[in-house]
Amino acid sequence: MANARRVPRNHATSTPAAPQATDGGVAPVLDKRLEPYADFALAIGSAFFPSYMLHDAMYDARAHRYRDAYIRPGRFGMYVDAQLGLRHAKSVAGNRAPVPARAGRPAARPLSPGAAYVAEQSKLGAAIMRRMRNDQPGGTMGDTDPVDPGPSRLKPPKELVAYDWVIAHTGTNWVKHIILEFPTREDTFLKLGLDGPGAYSIRMRVFFTGNRYAERIVTFTVTEKLLVGMGDSFASGEGNPDRWAELSDVGKLLASRKLTTLRQVIDRTVPTDREADWIEKEAHRSLSSAQALAASMLQSVYGETWKPAGGPRQAHFDFTPVTWVSFARSGAEIIEGLLLPQKGVTDYIGAGQVEECKRTLKYGQTIDALHISIGGNDAGFAGTLADLTQGQSFWALVVGPAAPNLRAERLRALNQALGVGLPPGQEGTIGASYNVLKAAVDDLNQTVPISNVLVTGYPEDIFFVRGPDGNLKFSACGIFETQSGLLSIDQQDGKIIQEAGQNLNSLIKRKCNEFGWTFVPTAPDFAGKGYCEGSMWIDADESCRIQADQRGTMHPSIEGHHAVAKRIHAAMLKEGV
């Protein structure tokens, strides 16, 4: 193909005609035997993945705001990789030996950066992240790193003389025509900018000596989604930073189970060589929250025209790049948190989360789904050892028989907040606050249209585990079971807490029905897997090892967040998000 030429990758030309005659005057011949070489993988670039490595691209931590380049709609990059065709051709030829791995890299499919880090910290965490990744539509990222030009990538055979790509935006004049003559390993990977959302087609031709070529035509659509999160520590991801802290030697000593209560009394934090990474440190907001993981599950940005495992070749792909924006903060309540600034150090911008959302989304977007988790702190379910020892939360009702009056007083206050035992037509304080929240969301809808509102419930069986006989049994441990009995929780206390959780969920569900919002239950995933069971919750010592403080105590683990994420993801699909 002597007339092939190398065109700059960012250069657009008019739509090319059919294959032209070569210098010898003979038109190229379509050779079906070469079809495997015309397979390729394609991906739509997205700045949202659950990885601490992307924090800076998404968020300006010093200014406490999302970067304009991240939240601005309609800007997409596309990556096309012809390595898939080279691997397919090699497979057809009968050589099924695995592609050699680059030095220092495993031959197996690599985890994402976030998952790879979790693997270093916890085998359980790695398994959950792999499962989360496999649950995502759109396939996996293939056997090798698509941007790695090293020996892990196959070199095109010398008989392959050119790749000819045409990418066109359907219904517009936008088209990119790229010809790569005598391609190298690097030339099998193509990167370019798209024209925005919409329908596209790709025509890929691969030319060989002897005036032969093969081609594949694929269509795809790009539909971007904007998902927004608000709420409390269950929404922010408390207990699950995107990268764990690295404790100093002294910190490791203080993280010992023997010093759980002592370190709480002395200080909330332990010394570190490197602090935990959060997308917003002041809010303890991470991309490992259930809301963020559900957004990642909805995102579909990758496809392959051929699957080594078999099945028909794909000729069309629907890609859904997601922009995920969370304003959740640990400690938030409905009024002081969502609607008004939070008290104390957690108020770092002087605005509530609804107002912060208004300030951030300024490009005329529509919120495809607004995710909310709120009400737990309004009921006093702070759940940390600090609240327990300082008597600031609902857990202080279990101070034991030494203070029966305080116990009864706090139980009355809780029922008042939940509206339990009130005359018909009267609202408790949480129900009344939800009414105010509804008005604030309606007002936000006037500025930034909202298609769906989804509100998650809370776990209920916090101190009950399922025994070998299948029955639920009360279980308290760790910080909730002391020798003195002063801070211990007994079965009666556990039952009160369970009933309070049930009442809170009933209230939230009722409000969602009134408002036309979607209630997402989470209690079934935690049933029989209470705090002492160990898989769904983070205990005080684990929180200290993970984030160098105990604020993550009594918050869902990565497995707990993943279970909730699957519920949220299913609800979004059901609502047509």
Side-chain angles (χ1 to χ4, degrees):
M1 186 175 169
N3 63 339
R5 59 192 177 86
R6 190 177 296 270
V7 178
R9 296 187 175 188
N10 61 351
H11 180 67
T13 70
S14 59
T15 303
Q20 300 297 311
T22 61
D23 291 343
V26 180
V29 177
L30 183 65
D31 189 340
K32 290 187 175 296
R33 294 173 299 177
L34 300 174
E35 280 187 353
Y37 285 99
D39 280 309
F40 55 90
L42 60 161
I44 304 301
S46 172
F48 170 62
F49 284 104
S51 168
Y52 76 93
M53 298 180 69
L54 295 175
H55 282 177
D56 190 58
M58 297 173 61
Y59 195 78
D60 185 339
R62 292 186 177 181
H64 303 293
R65 65 180 181 84
Y66 288 91
R67 298 189 184 278
D68 288 346
Y70 171 67
I71 63 173
R72 187 179 295 117
R75 301 183 65 183
F76 305 109
M78 187 178 75
Y79 308 86
V80 183
D81 194 349
Q83 280 287 312
L84 186 67
L86 297 181
R87 294 202 299 271
H88 188 187
K90 187 174 183 179
S91 174
V92 170
N95 185 355
R96 299 181 181 272
V99 177
R102 186 179 183 183
R105 292 181 180 232
R109 177 194 312 153
L111 299 175
S112 65
Y117 180 78
V118 173
E120 297 173 6
Q121 306 293 334
S122 163
K123 291 183 179 179
L124 173 63
I128 295 303
M129 291 298 285
R130 284 196 298 269
R131 187 201 316 164
M132 179 203 76
R133 207 159 176 268
N134 291 335
D135 284 344
Q136 296 183 41
T140 63
M141 290 303 289
D143 296 326
T144 57
D145 183 349
V147 299
D148 175 15
S152 62
R153 297 175 64 79
L154 295 175
K155 182 179 180 180
K158 61 182 180 180
E159 296 83 7
L160 196 161
V161 295
Y163 285 115
D164 185 343
W165 299 93
V166 177
I167 301 96
H169 192 178
T170 306
T172 73
N173 293 324
W174 186 94
V175 63
K176 299 249 182 187
H177 182 200
I178 301 168
I179 301 175
L180 298 170
E181 184 182 17
F182 307 117
T184 63
R185 286 190 183 95
E186 291 84 349
D187 291 328
T188 58
F189 183 79
L190 192 66
K191 177 181 178 181
L192 67 155
L194 289 180
D195 191 36
Y200 290 84
S201 66
I202 300 179
R203 191 212 65 189
M204 185 265 213
R205 285 178 177 151
V206 53
F207 289 89
F208 283 78
T209 56
N211 220 14
R212 302 167 298 150
Y213 77 98
E215 75 174 14
R216 189 161 313 287
I217 298 175
V218 169
T219 61
F220 65 92
T221 60
V222 179
T223 306
E224 58 183 328
K225 300 288 184 181
L226 172 62
L227 307 181
V228 174
M230 296 182 185
D232 53 20
S233 55
F234 274 50
S236 72
E238 180 71 79
N240 295 274
D242 292 316
R243 184 167 64 160
W244 293 8
E246 191 173 289
L247 303 184
S248 66
D249 290 340
V250 174
K252 293 175 183 177
L253 176 63
L254 290 174
S256 166
R257 290 186 180 274
K258 297 180 180 180
L259 301 177
T260 303
T261 303
L262 176 61
R263 66 172 177 261
Q264 178 62 36
V265 174
I266 297 174
D267 192 2
R268 280 178 174 252
T269 62
V270 299
T272 64
D273 290 335
R274 186 194 64 224
E275 294 184 344
D277 279 349
W278 307 86
I279 191 169
E280 173 51 76
K281 178 183 176 182
E282 301 300 329
H284 274 205
R285 181 189 307 152
S286 82
L287 297 178
S288 301
S289 71
Q291 292 181 349
L293 295 179
S296 178
M297 290 176 183
L298 187 70
Q299 180 164 261
S300 175
V301 294
Y302 183 80
E304 296 176 339
T305 61
W306 169 74
K307 296 289 186 181
R313 286 195 180 95
Q314 286 187 263
H316 178 79
F317 300 89
D318 291 309
F319 294 125
T320 307
V322 166
T323 299
W324 165 248
V325 182
S326 174
F327 305 103
R329 305 181 205 172
S330 189
E333 299 180 8
I334 297 174
I335 303 302
E336 293 181 354
L338 265 64
L339 307 183
L340 299 176
Q342 284 180 228
K343 292 180 179 179
V345 296
T346 53
D347 176 28
Y348 50 87
I349 61 170
Q353 295 177 37
V354 174
E355 175 60 29
E356 186 180 3
C357 180
K358 286 183 181 179
R359 297 177 182 178
T360 301
L361 303 180
K362 52 191 177 183
Y363 293 106
Q365 302 108 308
T366 293
I367 298 175
D368 294 283
L370 172 61
H371 299 284
I372 301 175
S373 170
I374 202 69
N377 290 329
D378 296 77
F381 292 112
T384 64
L385 183 59
D387 291 321
L388 183 62
T389 56
Q390 295 171 19
Q392 295 177 346
S393 77
F394 167 62
W395 304 113
L397 70 85
V398 295
V399 293
N405 292 334
L406 176 60
R407 189 175 186 276
E409 178 184 338
R410 290 195 175 276
L411 183 56
R412 282 195 298 270
L414 174 66
N415 288 334
Q416 172 68 31
L418 294 171
V420 176
L422 296 180
Q426 289 191 17
E427 292 271 23
T429 55
I430 298 177
S433 296
Y434 255 92
N435 294 339
V436 180
L437 175 61
K438 172 62 163 61
V441 171
D442 287 345
D443 179 68
L444 175 63
N445 186 55
Q446 300 300 312
T447 304
V448 187
I450 304 170
S451 298
N452 298 275
V453 179
L454 299 91
V455 185
T456 50
Y458 291 88
E460 298 168 358
D461 296 340
I462 299 176
F463 291 105
F464 291 87
V465 299
R466 196 171 303 281
D469 57 2
N471 296 321
L472 291 180
K473 297 182 180 181
F474 171 77
S475 178
C477 59
I479 61 174
F480 300 106
E481 188 177 46
T482 61
Q483 292 182 352
S484 67
L486 180 62
L487 302 178
S488 295
I489 289 178
D490 60 23
Q491 185 166 349
Q492 181 184 4
D493 300 323
K495 191 64 177 177
I496 291 174
I497 295 169
Q498 182 186 51
E499 292 176 353
Q502 293 169 350
N503 289 332
L504 178 60
N505 282 333
S506 296
L507 169 62
I508 296 173
K509 183 176 181 179
R510 176 168 57 83
K511 284 300 175 183
C512 286
N513 291 336
E514 288 180 17
F515 302 158
W517 297 352
T518 299
F519 175 72
V520 182
T522 65
D525 296 305
F526 291 80
K529 298 180 179 180
Y531 178 76
C532 299
E533 190 268 347
S535 66
M536 303 292 277
W537 298 93
I538 291 176
D539 64 30
D541 302 290
E542 186 178 10
S543 175
C544 196
R545 293 193 301 271
I546 291 173
Q547 60 186 57
D549 62 40
Q550 297 184 173
R551 291 173 60 185
T553 308
M554 289 298 297
H555 287 85
S557 64
I558 185 65
E559 183 169 357
H561 275 288
H562 182 258
V564 176
K566 293 181 72 173
R567 293 269 180 180
I568 298 174
H569 178 236
M572 286 194 290
L573 294 180
K574 184 177 180 180
E575 296 300 321
V577 175

